[in-house]
Amino acid sequence: MSARAASRLTSALDTVLDRSLVLGYTRIGPALRRRWWPADPEPGCLAGQRVVVTGATSGIGEAMVTSFARLGATVHVLGRNPAKVSTVVAEVRRTLPGAELVEEVCDVGDLDAVRAWCDDLTARLAADGDQGALRGLVHNAGAMVTERTETAQGHELALAVHVLGPHLMTERLLPLLGADPGSPGSVVWMSSGGMYSAGLRSTPDEIEFRPVEGEQEYSGVRGYARTKRMQVEIADAWNDRPDVAGGPVGGPVVRVESCHPGWAATPGITDSLPGFDKVMGPLLRDAGSGADTAVWLVATRPDSAGTHHFWHDRRPRPTTYPVQRRTDPAARRALLDHVAAATGTVWP
Ligand SMILES: NC(=O)c1ccc[n+]([C@@H]2O[C@H](COP(=O)([O-])OP(=O)(O)OC[C@H]3O[C@@H](n4cnc5c(N)ncnc54)[C@H](OP(=O)(O)O)[C@@H]3O)[C@@H](O)[C@H]2O)c1
């Protein structure tokens, strides 16, 4: 068989796995795909480079810390609970004694805390001169809440943790992500395959999950899926920005991608979806496989020109299936406007 025919065949097989969900999202997906997916990052390829991982105190984030450290990166291990951050850092150091790890504490759903932490990191890295650039920022922190909860700034919690905080963090760390033109940064939003079940809403009340006429009561699962959909839309919107894509204003080519991890065995799944965990448990992939695509995106910066920026198992994936309606442009615009207003930022 020619290389071209083989590539077509594996592409078709990969798509079948993806559409079947169970085959693609579970441990079966990477077990098969690793036969044809792109090469692993070179060992040591991130030596001397810095990566921030949020939600690093559990599950996929913790696995990501180990993977980045194995590639030689200095990993900024960010969590909201300082004791948990120290425990993870000690644990990873036990496995990888030479790992360069920096403990970071920030609640990504609290916009004031995000501003303060970004300013603090920027000041600390400025003192490091040549070593002050950021090579990767992975927005991995995530949570599924059971009832509508507001943050200190009055935003719905899932929206704040999945969308507003990460957007503000990206905005404020953009100078660090573009600080080394020879090795510009990558931002990855860890979304979820659950986002396929959700569309966007268009008024600020709907975006904030405040009760509106005709809307059912708050549902944590729906809030989770909708904010995960928002992450994918926002990552695509970031890629349209001239100041990240090296467009007309010639900014540094910072990449912004989103991905989903499939279904991975983590404390998050056990706590939030015990029924799902019970049924799917033996088939779930491990946390490292869930972390794989985000790590690979940062380490290799694959060319995604002309595609959407949503990935799974080292391949771009559609953001809607053919049977679904595409995102309503008015709802997308309303979301971007609301995110800008809530975070005090401007879309260039
Ligand atoms: N596991 C899966 O199958 C799966 C599927 C689809 C998508 N995902 C996504 O993958 C990411 C990681 O999930 P996981 O399964 O590893 O979940 P997990 O085990 O619950 O870990 C979530 C992490 O996010 C942190 N976090 C939550 N709220 C935060 C906040 N306000 N500020 C800072 N950190 C916060 C948690 O910190 P604490 O330790 O302090 O709680 C924890 O470190 C999430 O974004 C999730 O939506 C996972």
Side-chain angles (χ1 to χ4, degrees), residues 316-343:
R317 306 289 169 183
T319 56
T320 48
Y321 289 133
V323 290
Q324 292 176 303
R325 268 187 305 163
R326 294 196 174 278
T327 295
D328 168 16
R332 185 171 189 264
R333 185 69 258 161
L335 170 66
L336 299 185
D337 289 346
H338 183 71
V339 167
T343 54

Short mmCIF file of all heavy atoms in Angstrom, two decimals, residues 316-343:
data_model
loop_
_atom_site.label_atom_id
_atom_site.label_comp_id
_atom_site.label_asym_id
_atom_site.label_seq_id
_atom_site.Cartn_x
_atom_site.Cartn_y
_atom_site.Cartn_z
N PRO A 316 -6.54 17.51 14.77
CA PRO A 316 -7.64 18.49 14.86
C PRO A 316 -8.98 17.78 14.72
O PRO A 316 -9.09 16.83 13.94
CB PRO A 316 -7.40 19.43 13.66
CG PRO A 316 -6.09 19.07 13.09
CD PRO A 316 -5.73 17.70 13.56
N ARG A 317 -9.96 18.24 15.48
CA ARG A 317 -11.29 17.64 15.44
C ARG A 317 -12.32 18.69 15.08
O ARG A 317 -12.11 19.88 15.36
CB ARG A 317 -11.65 17.04 16.81
CG ARG A 317 -10.63 16.06 17.35
CD ARG A 317 -10.62 14.75 16.57
NE ARG A 317 -9.47 13.91 16.94
CZ ARG A 317 -9.18 12.75 16.37
NH1 ARG A 317 -9.95 12.27 15.41
NH2 ARG A 317 -8.13 12.06 16.74
N PRO A 318 -13.46 18.28 14.51
CA PRO A 318 -14.49 19.28 14.21
C PRO A 318 -15.03 19.89 15.51
O PRO A 318 -14.98 19.23 16.56
CB PRO A 318 -15.58 18.47 13.51
CG PRO A 318 -15.28 17.04 13.75
CD PRO A 318 -13.84 16.91 14.14
N THR A 319 -15.50 21.11 15.43
CA THR A 319 -16.09 21.72 16.62
C THR A 319 -17.59 21.47 16.69
O THR A 319 -18.20 21.63 17.74
CB THR A 319 -15.82 23.24 16.68
OG1 THR A 319 -16.30 23.81 15.48
CG2 THR A 319 -14.33 23.52 16.81
N THR A 320 -18.17 21.10 15.56
CA THR A 320 -19.57 20.62 15.56
C THR A 320 -19.63 19.40 14.65
O THR A 320 -18.89 19.32 13.67
CB THR A 320 -20.56 21.67 15.00
OG1 THR A 320 -20.03 22.19 13.78
CG2 THR A 320 -20.80 22.80 15.96
N TYR A 321 -20.51 18.48 14.97
CA TYR A 321 -20.73 17.34 14.08
C TYR A 321 -21.70 17.78 12.98
O TYR A 321 -22.48 18.72 13.17
CB TYR A 321 -21.31 16.16 14.87
CG TYR A 321 -20.31 15.51 15.80
CD1 TYR A 321 -20.64 15.21 17.11
CD2 TYR A 321 -19.03 15.21 15.36
CE1 TYR A 321 -19.72 14.62 17.97
CE2 TYR A 321 -18.11 14.62 16.21
CZ TYR A 321 -18.46 14.33 17.50
OH TYR A 321 -17.55 13.74 18.34
N PRO A 322 -21.69 17.08 11.83
CA PRO A 322 -22.53 17.50 10.71
C PRO A 322 -24.00 17.66 11.07
O PRO A 322 -24.68 18.52 10.51
CB PRO A 322 -22.33 16.38 9.68
CG PRO A 322 -21.00 15.80 10.00
CD PRO A 322 -20.82 15.94 11.48
N VAL A 323 -24.52 16.87 12.02
CA VAL A 323 -25.95 16.97 12.35
C VAL A 323 -26.26 18.20 13.21
O VAL A 323 -27.42 18.54 13.42
CB VAL A 323 -26.45 15.72 13.09
CG1 VAL A 323 -26.47 14.52 12.18
CG2 VAL A 323 -25.60 15.46 14.34
N GLN A 324 -25.21 18.87 13.72
CA GLN A 324 -25.46 19.98 14.64
C GLN A 324 -25.48 21.31 13.90
O GLN A 324 -24.87 21.46 12.84
CB GLN A 324 -24.34 20.05 15.69
CG GLN A 324 -24.33 18.89 16.64
CD GLN A 324 -23.14 18.99 17.58
OE1 GLN A 324 -22.00 19.05 17.15
NE2 GLN A 324 -23.43 19.02 18.87
N ARG A 325 -26.19 22.28 14.53
CA ARG A 325 -26.14 23.63 13.98
C ARG A 325 -24.80 24.25 14.32
O ARG A 325 -24.24 24.03 15.40
CB ARG A 325 -27.24 24.49 14.60
CG ARG A 325 -28.52 24.45 13.78
CD ARG A 325 -29.51 25.42 14.33
NE ARG A 325 -29.76 25.15 15.74
CZ ARG A 325 -30.33 26.02 16.58
NH1 ARG A 325 -30.67 27.20 16.18
NH2 ARG A 325 -30.54 25.71 17.84
N ARG A 326 -24.27 25.04 13.39
CA ARG A 326 -23.03 25.73 13.69
C ARG A 326 -23.31 26.86 14.69
O ARG A 326 -24.46 27.26 14.87
CB ARG A 326 -22.43 26.32 12.42
CG ARG A 326 -22.01 25.24 11.48
CD ARG A 326 -21.07 25.75 10.41
NE ARG A 326 -20.60 24.61 9.62
CZ ARG A 326 -19.61 23.81 9.98
NH1 ARG A 326 -18.96 24.01 11.10
NH2 ARG A 326 -19.26 22.79 9.23
N THR A 327 -22.26 27.37 15.31
CA THR A 327 -22.45 28.42 16.30
C THR A 327 -23.06 29.66 15.66
O THR A 327 -22.63 30.10 14.60
CB THR A 327 -21.09 28.79 16.92
OG1 THR A 327 -20.63 27.67 17.64
CG2 THR A 327 -21.21 29.98 17.85
N ASP A 328 -24.08 30.18 16.33
CA ASP A 328 -24.73 31.40 15.85
C ASP A 328 -23.75 32.57 16.04
O ASP A 328 -23.29 32.83 17.17
CB ASP A 328 -26.00 31.57 16.69
CG ASP A 328 -26.63 32.92 16.53
OD1 ASP A 328 -26.28 33.62 15.57
OD2 ASP A 328 -27.47 33.28 17.39
N PRO A 329 -23.41 33.29 14.97
CA PRO A 329 -22.41 34.37 15.09
C PRO A 329 -22.82 35.43 16.11
O PRO A 329 -21.96 36.00 16.79
CB PRO A 329 -22.34 34.97 13.68
CG PRO A 329 -22.90 33.92 12.77
CD PRO A 329 -23.85 33.10 13.58
N ALA A 330 -24.14 35.68 16.25
CA ALA A 330 -24.57 36.72 17.20
C ALA A 330 -24.29 36.25 18.64
O ALA A 330 -23.85 37.04 19.49
CB ALA A 330 -26.06 37.00 17.03
N ALA A 331 -24.50 34.95 18.89
CA ALA A 331 -24.23 34.42 20.23
C ALA A 331 -22.73 34.46 20.52
O ALA A 331 -22.30 34.77 21.64
CB ALA A 331 -24.75 32.99 20.34
N ARG A 332 -21.95 34.17 19.50
CA ARG A 332 -20.49 34.19 19.68
C ARG A 332 -20.02 35.61 19.98
O ARG A 332 -19.22 35.85 20.88
CB ARG A 332 -19.84 33.67 18.40
CG ARG A 332 -18.34 33.51 18.47
CD ARG A 332 -17.88 32.77 17.23
NE ARG A 332 -16.48 32.39 17.31
CZ ARG A 332 -15.50 33.12 16.78
NH1 ARG A 332 -15.75 34.26 16.16
NH2 ARG A 332 -14.25 32.70 16.89
N ARG A 333 -20.56 36.58 19.22
CA ARG A 333 -20.18 37.98 19.42
C ARG A 333 -20.56 38.42 20.84
O ARG A 333 -19.80 39.09 21.54
CB ARG A 333 -20.89 38.85 18.37
CG ARG A 333 -20.55 40.31 18.32
CD ARG A 333 -19.14 40.56 17.84
NE ARG A 333 -18.24 40.86 18.96
CZ ARG A 333 -16.92 40.77 18.91
NH1 ARG A 333 -16.31 40.37 17.84
NH2 ARG A 333 -16.18 41.08 19.95
N ALA A 334 -21.80 38.02 21.26
CA ALA A 334 -22.26 38.41 22.59
C ALA A 334 -21.34 37.82 23.67
O ALA A 334 -21.02 38.47 24.66
CB ALA A 334 -23.69 37.94 22.80
N LEU A 335 -20.92 36.57 23.45
CA LEU A 335 -20.02 35.93 24.42
C LEU A 335 -18.70 36.72 24.50
O LEU A 335 -18.23 37.04 25.59
CB LEU A 335 -19.74 34.48 24.01
CG LEU A 335 -18.62 33.80 24.81
CD1 LEU A 335 -19.03 33.63 26.27
CD2 LEU A 335 -18.24 32.46 24.19
N LEU A 336 -18.12 37.01 23.34
CA LEU A 336 -16.83 37.71 23.34
C LEU A 336 -16.96 39.08 24.01
O LEU A 336 -16.10 39.50 24.78
CB LEU A 336 -16.28 37.86 21.92
CG LEU A 336 -16.03 36.55 21.15
CD1 LEU A 336 -15.36 36.83 19.81
CD2 LEU A 336 -15.18 35.58 21.96
N ASP A 337 -18.07 39.78 23.72
CA ASP A 337 -18.29 41.10 24.33
C ASP A 337 -18.44 40.96 25.85
O ASP A 337 -17.89 41.76 26.62
CB ASP A 337 -19.54 41.77 23.75
CG ASP A 337 -19.31 42.23 22.31
OD1 ASP A 337 -18.14 42.26 21.87
OD2 ASP A 337 -20.31 42.52 21.62
N HIS A 338 -19.18 39.93 26.27
CA HIS A 338 -19.40 39.77 27.71
C HIS A 338 -18.08 39.43 28.42
O HIS A 338 -17.79 39.96 29.50
CB HIS A 338 -20.43 38.67 27.98
CG HIS A 338 -20.73 38.51 29.44
ND1 HIS A 338 -21.43 39.46 30.16
CD2 HIS A 338 -20.37 37.55 30.33
CE1 HIS A 338 -21.51 39.07 31.43
NE2 HIS A 338 -20.87 37.91 31.55
N VAL A 339 -17.29 38.57 27.80
CA VAL A 339 -16.01 38.18 28.40
C VAL A 339 -15.10 39.42 28.52
O VAL A 339 -14.44 39.63 29.56
CB VAL A 339 -15.33 37.07 27.55
CG1 VAL A 339 -13.89 36.87 27.95
CG2 VAL A 339 -16.11 35.77 27.70
N ALA A 340 -15.09 40.24 27.48
CA ALA A 340 -14.26 41.45 27.53
C ALA A 340 -14.75 42.38 28.64
O ALA A 340 -13.95 42.90 29.44
CB ALA A 340 -14.31 42.16 26.17
N ALA A 341 -16.07 42.60 28.71
CA ALA A 341 -16.61 43.52 29.73
C ALA A 341 -16.33 42.98 31.14
O ALA A 341 -15.92 43.73 32.03
CB ALA A 341 -18.11 43.70 29.51
N ALA A 342 -16.52 41.67 31.34
CA ALA A 342 -16.36 41.10 32.68
C ALA A 342 -14.91 41.14 33.13
O ALA A 342 -14.64 41.22 34.33
CB ALA A 342 -16.87 39.65 32.67
N THR A 343 -13.98 41.06 32.19
CA THR A 343 -12.56 41.00 32.57
C THR A 343 -11.85 42.33 32.38
O THR A 343 -10.64 42.43 32.64
CB THR A 343 -11.82 39.92 31.73
OG1 THR A 343 -12.05 40.18 30.34
CG2 THR A 343 -12.32 38.52 32.05
#
